[in-house]
Amino acid sequence: MASFSPAEDAADKPIYFVGVQWESKEDFSRRFFGEISFYLYGQPSARDWRAVAIFAAKTPEGEG
């Protein structure tokens, strides 16, 4: 997972958390939101945030 924070002088902009899922893992959602929660717990600011999960296609593009 990666997080993207805006500059300190842009406090009105949200933090983005991005997770990429290349293979099927049943605990992806639990781990993804767990890591976000852990990050936010350690941050003193109450900034808005967004989460983006990207899932790979099950078949190569053009097939199926």
Side-chain angles (χ1 to χ4, degrees):
M1 183 185 74
S3 65
F4 302 95
S5 299
E8 289 297 320
D9 61 345
D12 60 328
K13 304 293 183 197
I15 297 171
Y16 281 87
F17 299 95
V18 180
V20 179
Q21 174 80 16
W22 293 109
E23 54 190 44
S24 180
K25 291 184 181 176
E26 290 183 15
D27 66 341
F28 174 77
S29 295
R30 180 179 38 209
R31 287 184 308 106
F32 185 54
F33 288 107
E35 289 180 30
I36 292 170
S37 297
F38 184 73
Y39 177 89
L40 294 173
Y41 179 77
Q43 299 300 313
S45 65
R47 189 177 267 188
D48 288 341
W49 60 275
R50 306 286 187 272
V52 178
I54 300 170
F55 298 91
K58 290 186 177 191
T59 59
E61 190 172 313
E63 294 183 19

